Amino acid sequence: MKKIAKLLSALASAVLLSALFSFAAFAQDPTDEILRFEITADVSEDATVNFRYHIDWLVLDSETFGPLEWVKIGAPNSNHTDVQALSETITDIRDQGNEIRIELDRPYYAGETVSFEYSFTQGNLYQIGRYVEGETVYIYTPAWFDGIAVDDLTVRWNQNKAGAWQPDADIEGDYLVFQASLPPGEKFELTVAYPNDAYAFTPEGEMRSGTGGSDGNSEDSPLVVILAIIIVMVFIIAPIAFVVFIIRFLVSVGRGFGSSTDTVKKIIRTKIEYYDNCPNCGAVREEGQEKCEYCKTSFEKSREVVEENEIKNPQKYSTDGTYRYEGSPHTFIHVSTINVPRPRSSAGSSARRSGGCASSCASSCASSCACASSCACACACASSGRAGCSVKDFFDEEKHNLKVRSYHENEA
């Protein structure tokens, strides 16, 4: 019966978290945008994968939940080591099992972009004979963001000894290059297959499908487990689904039902400047090139969010898109138009500051995270730090006291 109790508890937790995250993501406008998410992966001889993550994170709204102070980026599973910060914008980095928590060097406000980079070594990411005998395949899903769009996702996977891969990828030097642009909530999965003798693949190092093996003497029959699942679905999932449906309906009918915010249009302009020549080998940059065709070095010289009064003829850069700046072949303005929540009353703002918690980890990710310890779902969700709290840290006593103190100071 202990297994049944654990199963019921896990399912109930997953459903409750899914409902909370789903409604939170539905009811609010995006607070952030990922301009660039670049991942480099190199397989080691021991079959672990060395990952290097680079993220350019744009803050769209720092009023609703406060400025961005930290982020949590999901890892494929908890079997990783050697987590290291590689940029000065990271003041502290912590391994928290299925995710990595990153403390930023300062609070970032609406219109600001923070770039950060880190690395780690990941184990238990492959499966032997998953599709074809004699082949071992890596199955990898980068972190996804249910409430945040990813403008440019690039995964560079070292192709050394690789026999096949999907989806299609470009080949640049030693790397397979997978690219995608993801709307909020969309995930991207890739697989790379190798001969079984390419690296030191072992059954112990495979992607695990459970917390441990079964000895065949389980006291719970399949029928009992099925009955337990049915009970959970009827008495927990159905009522919660009904409540979430009602709340979503009220929100969709009109923001006037108890809402304390409306929105205003905000234009985010990012100025991107490229080198005339490759800073590494000196090759001339051709029109539209972002990386040198010879040494693969990036031509990007700088990227910064600019205000309207900092550029010439800002009215030319008022709709979404990327535009050449003042005729320069190497300078561009990237425009993003967003709707930013505007508080209507101080009481509503205070209430949100006291109890609101921002998370980009919503329904699909919540269910994955809940099952990460008992199935090979490779949780890879991500969440953003707002005013020092997130849904996952809701019961952190220190942060709870900080929020309460902040609330009373605002009321005073």
Side-chain angles (χ1 to χ4, degrees):
M1 292 303 293
K2 289 183 179 179
K3 290 185 178 180
I4 294 238
K6 288 182 179 179
L7 176 63
L8 289 171
S9 177
L11 285 172
S13 299
V15 172
L16 287 170
L17 287 173
S18 296
L20 285 172
F21 293 146
S22 178
F23 175 66
F26 177 85
Q28 68 185 47
D29 291 319
T31 57
D32 305 277
E33 180 181 353
I34 307 299
L35 301 177
R36 181 170 59 145
F37 188 2
E38 185 167 321
I39 299 167
T40 302
D42 294 280
V43 182
S44 300
E45 289 300 322
D46 64 357
T48 60
V49 182
N50 297 317
F51 281 111
R52 186 184 184 106
Y53 281 25
H54 178 99
I55 300 177
D56 294 335
W57 189 303
L58 171 63
V59 179
L60 303 178
D61 170 18
S62 55
E63 293 294 328
T64 303
F65 299 110
L68 183 74
E69 298 179 295
W70 52 263
V71 297
K72 287 181 180 179
I73 308 297
N77 57 59
S78 60
N79 298 296
H80 44 75
T81 59
D82 197 25
V83 180
Q84 295 186 21
L86 301 178
S87 64
E88 294 181 354
T89 49
I90 299 176
T91 58
D92 186 41
I93 187 165
R94 305 177 209 169
D95 183 346
Q96 296 187 332
N98 285 333
E99 59 193 6
I100 294 171
R101 179 183 173 112
I102 295 170
E103 298 283 347
L104 301 175
D105 58 335
R106 64 175 178 84
Y108 286 82
Y109 295 85
E112 292 188 302
T113 299
V114 55
S115 298
F116 54 92
E117 193 165 317
Y118 64 97
S119 63
F120 60 97
T121 299
Q122 180 68 55
N124 298 93
L125 198 59
Y126 58 82
Q127 290 183 309
I128 301 172
R130 169 68 183 268
Y131 301 116
V132 179
E133 269 193 51
E135 272 191 358
T136 296
V137 62
Y138 285 88
I139 305 172
Y140 173 57
T141 302
W144 67 89
F145 306 81
D146 272 0
I148 303 176
V150 179
D151 297 344
D152 178 13
L153 170 66
T154 301
V155 181
R156 298 169 53 80
W157 190 285
N158 197 312
Q159 64 167 325
N160 183 34
K161 302 181 184 179
W165 53 86
Q166 61 177 349
D168 290 336
D170 294 330
I171 298 178
E172 295 182 2
D174 295 331
Y175 290 88
L176 303 170
V177 181
F178 303 87
Q179 289 189 300
S181 179
L182 307 179
E186 186 169 324
K187 293 178 283 187
F188 179 83
E189 182 179 277
L190 64 89
T191 60
V192 182
Y194 295 85
N196 282 351
D197 59 356
Y199 295 103
F201 300 122
T202 64
E204 294 76 21
E206 285 191 271
M207 182 185 293
R208 295 171 183 171
S209 59
T211 55
S214 171
D215 58 6
N217 298 317
S218 173
E219 59 181 295
D220 300 320
S221 69
L223 179 60
V224 174
V225 174
I226 291 173
L227 288 175
I229 294 174
I230 292 174
I231 291 172
V232 170
M233 292 181 65
V234 172
F235 293 101
I236 297 179
I237 295 179
I240 290 177
F242 178 74
V243 171
V244 170
F245 171 78
I246 294 299
I247 294 174
R248 286 188 170 185
F249 174 76
L250 291 176
V251 172
S252 64
V253 167
R255 296 275 180 174
F257 287 99
S259 175
S260 59
T261 63
D262 58 9
T263 60
V264 292
K265 182 179 178 181
K266 182 177 177 64
I267 298 175
I268 305 296
R269 299 179 177 90
T270 304
K271 186 177 181 181
I272 307 171
E273 186 176 357
Y274 297 95
Y275 289 104
D276 296 350
N277 299 85
C278 175
N280 184 44
C281 70
V284 177
R285 176 181 177 273
E286 301 294 338
E287 179 72 23
Q289 274 191 310
E290 294 191 358
K291 292 184 179 180
C292 177
E293 62 179 319
Y294 302 104
C295 66
K296 309 306 177 185
T297 300
S298 173
F299 279 111
E300 189 173 303
K301 183 178 183 180
S302 64
R303 176 190 290 260
E304 62 174 335
V305 175
V306 293
E307 300 299 328
E308 184 174 325
N309 59 2
E310 296 177 325
I311 59 175
K312 299 177 182 178
N313 302 320
Q315 66 277 5
K316 293 172 57 178
Y317 315 104
S318 300
T319 57
D320 289 0
T322 301
Y323 307 89
R324 191 188 307 279
Y325 180 55
E326 290 297 299
S328 170
H330 303 296
T331 306
F332 298 83
I333 301 292
H334 175 73
V335 181
S336 299
T337 305
I338 61 170
N339 290 319
V340 179
R342 177 175 57 193
R344 288 183 189 165
S345 66
S346 58
S349 298
S350 297
R352 287 193 298 279
R353 281 194 296 268
S354 66
C357 297
S359 175
S360 59
C361 199
S363 57
S364 61
C365 181
S367 59
S368 297
C369 288
C371 73
S373 63
S374 60
C375 67
C377 55
C379 173
C381 60
S383 62
S384 59
R386 285 293 188 272
C389 79
S390 78
V391 174
K392 291 183 181 178
D393 292 325
F394 194 76
F395 296 104
D396 188 302
E397 181 177 359
E398 179 181 350
K399 289 174 183 167
H400 171 73
N401 293 335
L402 175 62
K403 287 190 290 178
V404 172
R405 183 169 64 251
S406 174
Y407 170 68
H408 287 301
E409 290 172 354
N410 289 325
E411 288 295 291

